[in-house]
Amino acid sequence: MKYIIVIMAAVLLGVAPAHAQKERDQFMVQVDGLGCPFCAYGLEKKFKEFKGIKDVKIDIETGDFSFSYPSEKALTLEAVEQQVIKAGYTPMSGKVTRADGSVQEMNGTVAVAEGDAALTNASFKVGGKCGMCENRILKAVSTIEGAFDASWDQDSKQFMVKYDASKTSEKEIQQTIAKAGHDTPMFKAKDDVYTNLPPCCNYERLQ
């Protein structure tokens, strides 16, 4: 009987740490502005301020940044977004998969209309190349009051949006996208803004 108790205790001690290791939230953020290994080092160093962070992975080409964090600390996406900004970079999108399986996404990439009876539809080409380009384009449009349901197709380069003509215009939408570094039929992104895009975003300029 004594041996059985010892064996059960050993099993429980072995299982407890493994279970504890699973109690971690998994974060994934796409970061704009990571141009070199030093940039990645600076971002990781800033996040080391979050005690307990582990499994840090940064892909400079795509801007993908992931890490795990103790679930009991309940780190919010808002705090992660602010930490990216403090490091000197721009959070484009993000999500966290909690230890209990629930998933939360970063707000603000696309605005959603409550009703579109009085909305105007617009569709035009927007220069871009990758998923990071898509997030940057949609994030720029999300700052425009009156613009809703924006989408951009990576293959066709076709951008679609609904907007309230009493609050904004297609011209303003195209101008905002161009300021973010992406050519539109009406406006061309400034050369210095285009040049400073990550290498994976070096799309073929629109004529």
Side-chain angles (χ1 to χ4, degrees):
M1 185 66 179
K2 180 165 63 177
Y3 292 111
I4 295 176
I5 294 174
V6 171
I7 292 172
M8 289 182 66
V11 171
L12 289 173
L13 287 173
V15 171
H19 176 71
Q21 288 178 358
K22 292 182 180 179
E23 297 302 314
R24 300 184 68 84
D25 296 333
Q26 305 296 323
F27 287 82
M28 172 65 77
V29 184
Q30 190 169 62
V31 179
D32 188 20
L34 297 175
C36 65
F38 183 77
C39 297
Y41 170 76
L43 179 64
E44 182 174 358
K45 183 179 180 181
K46 192 65 180 176
F47 269 80
K48 289 293 185 182
E49 294 177 3
F50 290 156
K51 303 302 180 183
I53 190 172
K54 287 184 178 180
D55 309 315
V56 176
K57 294 181 181 179
I58 301 175
D59 189 320
I60 299 174
E61 289 295 319
T62 63
D64 289 337
F65 169 46
S66 63
F67 64 91
S68 68
Y69 201 70
S71 58
E72 67 269 16
K73 295 191 176 183
L75 181 64
T76 65
L77 277 173
E78 289 76 13
V80 171
E81 186 174 8
Q82 287 303 311
Q83 196 74 352
V84 171
I85 294 172
K86 289 178 182 177
Y89 304 101
T90 304
M92 304 300 295
S93 65
K95 71 175 183 178
V96 54
T97 303
R98 300 294 182 185
D100 62 5
S102 62
V103 178
Q104 298 172 342
E105 295 191 4
M106 190 178 291
N107 296 324
T109 54
V110 184
V112 179
E114 294 182 358
D116 54 5
L119 299 182
T120 301
N121 293 308
S123 177
F124 49 85
K125 296 278 187 179
V126 173
K129 187 176 181 181
C130 63
M132 186 180 289
C133 293
E134 179 179 8
N135 285 325
R136 188 180 302 106
I137 292 166
L138 298 184
K139 191 174 183 70
V141 175
S142 74
T143 65
I144 303 173
E145 182 181 3
F148 306 100
D149 297 339
S151 64
W152 178 76
D153 185 78
Q154 187 172 323
D155 295 324
S156 66
K157 316 303 179 188
Q158 198 70 22
F159 174 83
M160 300 179 68
V161 68
K162 296 176 182 178
Y163 66 92
D164 184 340
S166 67
K167 296 181 179 180
T168 187
S169 63
E170 182 175 341
K171 180 178 179 180
E172 181 185 4
I173 293 171
Q174 291 201 29
Q175 188 173 33
T176 300
I177 293 172
K179 286 181 178 179
H182 296 272
D183 293 346
T184 72
M186 291 184 185
F187 299 93
K188 193 170 184 179
K190 291 184 178 180
D191 290 339
D192 59 334
V193 177
Y194 172 81
T195 302
N196 286 325
L197 292 176
C200 65
C201 298
N202 291 151
Y203 61 88
E204 184 176 346
R205 305 297 298 269
L206 298 185
Q207 299 298 322

